[in-house]
Amino acid sequence: MSTLERWTRWPAGDVPIREHHSRARLVLGFVGRFGLLSTVVFGTFAEQHYAGWRLLPPILWILTATGLFTGWFFFCRARRLWQALGCAAGLLVVAGLADDGGAKTLASMIWYGLAVLAVIRLPLAAGLLTAAAALASYGLSSGESLLVMLVVAGGLGLLGYLLRLDTQARSAQRALLAQERAAQAAKAESAALAERARIAREIHDVLAHSLSAQLVHLEAARLMLDAGAERAEVRERVVAARRMAQDGLAETRQALSALRGEFAPVAEFVAELAAQSGAELTVDGVPRPVSAEAGLAVRRTAQEALTNARKHAPGGRVDVRLGYLDGSVELTVRNAGAPHGADPMLGDSGSGYGLLGMRERAELLGGELLAGPEDGGWRVLLRVPA
């Protein structure tokens, strides 16, 4: 900050943040303001014996000073310098009239208050000039010695500057609090959006796998009908498709439960899935709980890889390996080529985007998914932090 800016910039403004004050603080503030006003009014009327029409001037001085101070606070809050200085000039005039009329207490309170508030509320240069004008008016009317005036001026100036620093510190604290609240709100909104995206991704993966499996069986039923197969064989395929639809609904519920951390251990799920697919399962390492995201990635990848094995290499050997490594979990699904004479008639069914979705899921978790041919067959390798 340059020297010019230090002298001409306004103090830190109020931050638009709602503070909840205690009842005791509100009561003390009201009592303090009421006590100050009572002191001014009592001191003003106690100094002189006002009676009849003589009551009118002090009442007008008090009301005018109250209105000018109100306008002062408004213009200072709005950072309108010339209007605020106009209110200050009006207060100096009122203080001079009150002093001439014998209301010394009212005049002194106006001068003192204006000197302190000018340093607190106005830019430093304008505030010091206004305070100097108020204290000079007081000095000329009171007839105090130069030493006394210097002491009074120094004391009031120091008080105003300290209150100015305190006001700026509280404004900075409120600004930080407002920023913190905004950051917390943004963080909560981001977390909600991330949760919605995660739920949408899970539902998408479940439905994609379920519909793909149903398509396999329905396509097989269609080909069998075209080939004139027996009704019982076609019915078996339709029943299998129906069962896949039911399993899809169950997996959707499981996915929602998994997002809440309520799903079965990964090793149990993979073992059950391998048994249903006729695959050989090997578990390396000691099974341990993993995060919901990592567990779902392993579950979905195992489902997709085994479905692809049934589609592209029906009847071939499938080996599943689940490894619990240091800081990660690894899933490997290997399938040999289709046996001689087997017809992978369903190899062209499906969208082909299943493994791509699994790769995107793994990358979001900071892991990787590799898929490609190996020894005449196919291998899918998933590794995610866990």
Side-chain angles (χ1 to χ4, degrees):
M1 183 190 305
S2 65
T3 303
L4 180 62
E5 291 179 348
R6 186 183 301 277
W7 286 91
T8 58
R9 76 169 198 159
W10 287 84
D14 293 332
V15 177
I17 181 173
R18 186 175 182 179
E19 294 183 303
H20 297 281
H21 300 302
S22 64
R23 178 175 297 181
R25 181 174 178 179
L26 295 176
V27 171
L28 288 176
F30 174 78
V31 171
R33 294 183 179 90
F34 181 78
L36 179 62
L37 181 60
S38 300
T39 301
V40 172
V41 173
F42 178 78
T44 299
F45 288 98
E47 290 173 332
Q48 299 288 334
H49 296 289
Y50 297 104
W53 65 269
R54 295 181 180 273
L55 289 172
L56 185 60
I59 293 176
L60 290 177
W61 297 331
I62 294 174
L63 294 178
T64 304
T66 303
L68 288 173
F69 270 120
T70 302
W72 159 273
F73 282 108
F74 172 78
F75 290 126
C76 287
R77 186 182 293 271
R79 297 191 174 187
R80 298 166 65 175
L81 179 61
W82 293 111
Q83 289 85 342
L85 291 178
C87 290
L91 287 169
L92 291 177
V93 172
V94 172
L97 293 176
D99 184 73
D100 290 339
K104 302 292 185 181
T105 300
L106 176 60
S108 299
M109 293 299 294
I110 293 175
W111 284 322
Y112 292 158
L114 183 60
V116 174
L117 291 175
V119 179
I120 298 174
R121 293 281 181 171
L122 291 177
L124 199 55
L128 291 178
L129 290 176
T130 303
L135 293 175
S137 299
Y138 168 75
L140 292 176
S141 64
S142 64
E144 300 285 355
S145 64
L146 179 62
L147 178 61
V148 172
M149 285 303 306
L150 290 176
V151 171
V152 172
L156 292 177
L158 180 61
L159 174 62
Y161 190 70
L162 291 177
L163 292 177
R164 179 190 181 96
L165 294 179
D166 179 68
T167 301
Q168 290 181 326
R170 287 188 287 109
S171 297
Q173 184 180 11
R174 288 195 296 268
L176 290 176
L177 180 59
Q179 293 176 0
E180 182 180 356
R181 291 181 180 178
Q184 290 177 351
K187 183 178 179 181
E189 183 178 359
S190 177
L193 292 176
E195 182 69 10
R196 292 173 187 172
R198 188 171 64 150
I199 292 175
R201 186 169 59 248
E202 296 305 328
I203 301 302
H204 169 270
D205 291 342
V206 169
L207 294 179
H209 170 75
S210 175
L211 293 175
S212 178
Q214 293 176 57
L215 182 60
V216 169
H217 291 286
L218 292 175
E219 183 68 11
R222 184 187 68 81
L223 294 175
M224 293 172 69
L225 285 173
D226 292 343
E230 295 294 332
R231 178 179 177 181
E233 296 178 354
V234 177
R235 183 178 183 279
E236 181 182 354
R237 290 291 183 176
V238 174
V239 170
R242 177 176 178 272
R243 184 173 60 250
M244 287 296 175
Q246 293 175 337
D247 292 343
L249 292 176
E251 289 178 8
T252 301
R253 298 188 186 97
Q254 291 176 3
L256 294 176
S257 297
L259 288 172
R260 303 185 187 102
E262 301 171 355
F263 65 110
V266 172
E268 294 182 12
F269 178 84
V270 174
E272 181 180 353
L273 189 63
Q276 293 175 355
S277 303
E280 296 292 332
L281 173 65
T282 303
V283 178
D284 295 336
V286 179
R288 64 176 183 272
V290 298
S291 65
E293 292 83 357
L296 284 169
V298 174
R299 290 155 64 100
R300 298 291 171 257
T301 303
Q303 289 175 325
E304 184 67 26
L306 291 173
T307 299
N308 288 341
R310 289 196 302 267
K311 288 168 54 178
H312 299 285
R317 177 183 174 86
V318 181
D319 294 314
V320 179
R321 173 184 169 272
L322 181 63
Y324 289 89
L325 309 179
D326 185 15
S328 64
V329 62
E330 189 176 274
L331 173 72
T332 306
V333 179
R334 289 185 176 90
N335 66 273
H340 182 70
D343 183 16
M345 58 183 178
L346 302 178
D348 295 332
S349 63
S351 64
Y353 291 108
L355 288 178
L356 178 60
M358 296 301 102
R359 181 176 290 108
E360 292 176 352
R361 177 192 292 274
E363 291 174 352
L364 287 174
L365 297 176
E368 61 177 347
L369 184 140
L370 305 175
E374 182 182 78
D375 298 333
W378 192 266
R379 184 195 70 159
V380 177
L381 171 64
L382 170 71
R383 184 182 299 112
V384 291

